[in-house]
């Protein structure tokens, strides 16, 4: 059997294959973060197309945690109903679904919001200087992540992904380039990890024990003085016992930097993190070919493959990939006459 189409189980999360839809902001919500018909159709299409695990786009745990006006929100109980509709529509087709809990920090572009970060340093000239977070701000945001997880469970998500990547708030605490604090949340690695550690600890109070938690990281910051995969190993090893089950390995966007991208450019980071933390990893970046996905899994370089833009281009990628790899998979019954 092709590994791409082998099932697996992590805690109660039972997956039919190793194909993960990467979180991708749709920016089609309204200015209050509510889910729209677009979200239901968009995610259900990828479920029909055979994706094993769909991870919903960055969903803000606070309104000032949105990247853009139009991002999904999970800061109010009234968001649960719309999110739950997405979940139900996805599950009809046998896919599992997660949600990425996010806070933009200094990369919030919503003009009406007060922007916060560990230190008052702007991402670049186009962004305002954020306010340095007080201890009260830190407590409030940690609580918002916890509340976000509670709502995600109520909406029926199988898994949550904590957004610790791409230079958003959690990543801003983790990186020595963006965290210049002199209190217990800055300075040493142990201090920079504290914010994430407290978030995971609080989430665990409300998130069911049998449902896994994914952490997305930027494994490489592409800048001298920033975090590299070996630093991420240390960071992950400091938090994993709090309750992290899977690492989703991405990179960059912490500071403006030039990145040399090519198919598989992040796979070696995933490999390093898998070896150094002994946790299952989701790897990807410009993957389009089923053979390449299979090679990465078979050589034990990663446990799951994420696809972003390729699934936007082709929601039926998994069904077509199975055909290309000579793997027998069940097609949705109404589509049986079109089976390749
Ligand atoms: C339209 C779009 C929106 C994205 N939004 C998010 C997001 O909400 N959260 C996130 O972690 N990454 C986001 N990303 C990054 C993707 O998850 C993924 O890591 C990236 O596109 C590389 O994978 P790919 O080459 O398969 O597209 C986004 C990417 C795209 C193209």
């Amino acid at each position: 059997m092709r590994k791409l189409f082998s099932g697996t189980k992590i805690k109660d999360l039972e997956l039919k294959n190793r194909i993960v839809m990467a979180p991708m902001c749709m920016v089609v919500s309204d200015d209050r973060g509510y889910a729209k018909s677009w979200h239901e159709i968009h995610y259900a299409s990828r479920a029909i197309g055979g994706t094993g695990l769909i991870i919903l786009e960055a969903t803000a745990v606070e309104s000032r945690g949105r990247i853009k006006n139009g991002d999904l929100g999970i800061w109010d109980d009234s968001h649960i109903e719309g999110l739950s509709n997405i979940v139900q529509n996805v599950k009809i087709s046998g896919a599992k679904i997660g949600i990425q809990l996010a806070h933009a920090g200094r990369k919030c572009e919503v003009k009406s919001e007060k922007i916060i970060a560990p230190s008052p340093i702007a991402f670049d000239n186009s962004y305002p200087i954020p306010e340095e977070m007080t201890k009260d701000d830190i407590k409030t945001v940690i609580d918002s992540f916890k509340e976000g997880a509670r709502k995600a469970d109520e909406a029926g998500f199988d898994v949550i992904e904590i957004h610790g990547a791409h230079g958003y708030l959690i990543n801003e605490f983790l990186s020595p380039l963006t965290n210049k604090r002199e209190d217990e949340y800055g300075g040493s690695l142990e201090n920079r990890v504290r914010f994430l550690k407290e978030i995971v600890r609080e989430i665990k109070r409300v998130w069911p024990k049998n449902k896994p938690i994914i952490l997305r990281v930027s494994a490489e910051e592409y800048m001298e003085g920033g975090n590299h995969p070996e630093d991420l190993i240390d960071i992950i090893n400091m938090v994993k016992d709090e309750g992290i089950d899977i690492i989703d390995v991405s990179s960059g966007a912490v500071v403006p930097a030039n990145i040399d991208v090519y198919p598989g450019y992040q796979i070696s980071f995933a490999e390093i993190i898998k070896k150094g933390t002994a946790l299952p990893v989701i790897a990807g970046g410009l993957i389009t070919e089923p053979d390449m996905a299979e090679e990465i899994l078979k050589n034990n370089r990663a446990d799951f493959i994420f696809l972003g833009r390729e699934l936007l281009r082709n929601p039926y990628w998994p069904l077509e990939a199975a055909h290309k790899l000579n793997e027998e998979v069940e097609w949705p019954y109404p589509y049986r006459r079109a089976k390749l």
Side-chain angles (χ1 to χ4, degrees), residues 26 28 34-48 54 56-57 72 80-93 97:
M26 291 288 106
V28 293
Y34 290 107
K36 302 289 169 194
S37 306
W38 173 273
H39 297 104
E40 290 178 30
I41 297 162
H42 165 69
Y43 290 111
S45 304
R46 276 70 199 173
I48 290 173
I54 289 169
L56 218 68
E57 63 203 80
L72 281 178
I80 296 173
E81 190 184 344
L83 293 171
S84 162
N85 291 339
I86 301 172
V87 169
Q88 285 167 36
N89 281 309
V90 158
K91 287 191 178 178
I92 290 170
S93 302
I97 180 161

Side-chain angles (χ1 to χ4, degrees), residues 188-202:
S188 67
L189 187 68
E190 198 184 354
N191 281 356
R192 282 182 278 120
V193 172
R194 194 179 308 278
F195 180 62
L196 171 60
K197 209 175 199 178
E198 291 179 358
I199 286 173
V200 181
R201 198 171 287 165
E202 284 305 305

Side-chain angles (χ1 to χ4, degrees), residues 22-26 57-58 100 161 163 166 216 250 265 285-287 306-310 312:
M24 283 178 286
C25 288
M26 291 288 106
E57 63 203 80
Q100 189 182 51
E161 175 168 289
H163 199 346
H166 304 165
R216 192 166 222 206
S250 188
Y265 69 104
L286 283 173
I287 307 284
F306 74 71
L307 298 170
R309 287 160 290 183
E310 186 59 15
L312 296 186

Side-chain angles (χ1 to χ4, degrees), residues 52 75 184 198 213 254 268-269:
W75 63 81
E184 68 269 34
E198 291 179 358
I213 298 178
V254 183
S268 61
F269 308 148

